[in-house]
Amino acid sequence: MEEQFILRLPPSVAERIERLMNESAAASSNPDEASLDLSFSEDGRNGTFMIGNESFPASLLDLPAVVESYKTYDDSVLIKTADIGQMIMVREENDPPPEGVEYKHGLTPPMRDARRRRFRREPDLNAELVNQVEKHLINIMHGVSCSGFR
């Protein structure tokens, strides 16, 4: 399988990259204008996306669910190429950085706020009660009666 990720760009940057890809590299008057670079800081989650001489802040985010990627050679048979679990989000300089390391929305409108709406919350457990129940179960397994369990 291949290694893949989602690259989410602001509309202005996406248009510029699309224009660069449609033009041939030889026809470009300035090769520095066509250069792309992505570098991350030591934490591995925040970085900089460079296109030409402009830089944009970028963040590596975990998606709330795994997305499968497919490709086809003959337009009838799909072949799975990767499971995508992360997204690189490039934003404008004045946009606020995302909160946390997990992107709370999916990639499509139905997955808006997916973490809250689609996945069960972790239960609130009382650590003292869990320890007490564990001790009672161990006693029962050893054949000791457990009085006083509520």
Side-chain angles (χ1 to χ4, degrees), residues 3-8 38 60 82-88:
E3 291 184 22
Q4 298 177 1
F5 59 86
I6 304 291
L7 180 63
R8 182 165 278 183
L38 178 64
L60 179 66
D83 287 328
I84 303 171
Q86 293 183 316
M87 170 177 65
I88 297 176

Side-chain angles (χ1 to χ4, degrees), residues 13-25:
V13 177
E15 289 171 7
R16 190 168 165 190
I17 290 176
E18 186 176 9
R19 207 173 344 104
L20 288 173
M21 290 175 61
N22 290 334
E23 296 174 359
S24 69

Side-chain angles (χ1 to χ4, degrees), residues 7 28 53-55 61 73 80 93 99 119 129 144 147-148:
L7 180 63
S28 178
N53 294 329
E54 281 187 81
S55 66
L61 302 171
Y73 295 106
K80 182 177 175 181
E93 202 60 51
E99 299 172 10
F119 300 107
L129 178 63
V144 179
S147 59

Side-chain angles (χ1 to χ4, degrees), residues 17-69:
I17 290 176
E18 186 176 9
R19 207 173 344 104
L20 288 173
M21 290 175 61
N22 290 334
E23 296 174 359
S24 69
S28 178
S29 60
N30 185 359
D32 289 337
E33 198 175 283
S35 68
L36 297 174
D37 184 44
L38 178 64
S39 59
F40 285 95
S41 61
E42 290 182 17
D43 70 351
R45 289 285 180 173
N46 298 305
T48 304
F49 180 78
M50 298 276 297
I51 178 169
N53 294 329
E54 281 187 81
S55 66
F56 299 92
S59 299
L60 179 66
L61 302 171
D62 297 332
L63 293 171
V66 173
V67 178
E68 294 179 343
S69 171

Side-chain angles (χ1 to χ4, degrees), residues 86-103:
Q86 293 183 316
M87 170 177 65
I88 297 176
M89 180 180 281
V90 178
R91 57 191 189 283
E92 296 287 348
E93 202 60 51
N94 54 1
D95 290 346
E99 299 172 10
V101 296
E102 186 175 288
Y103 189 60

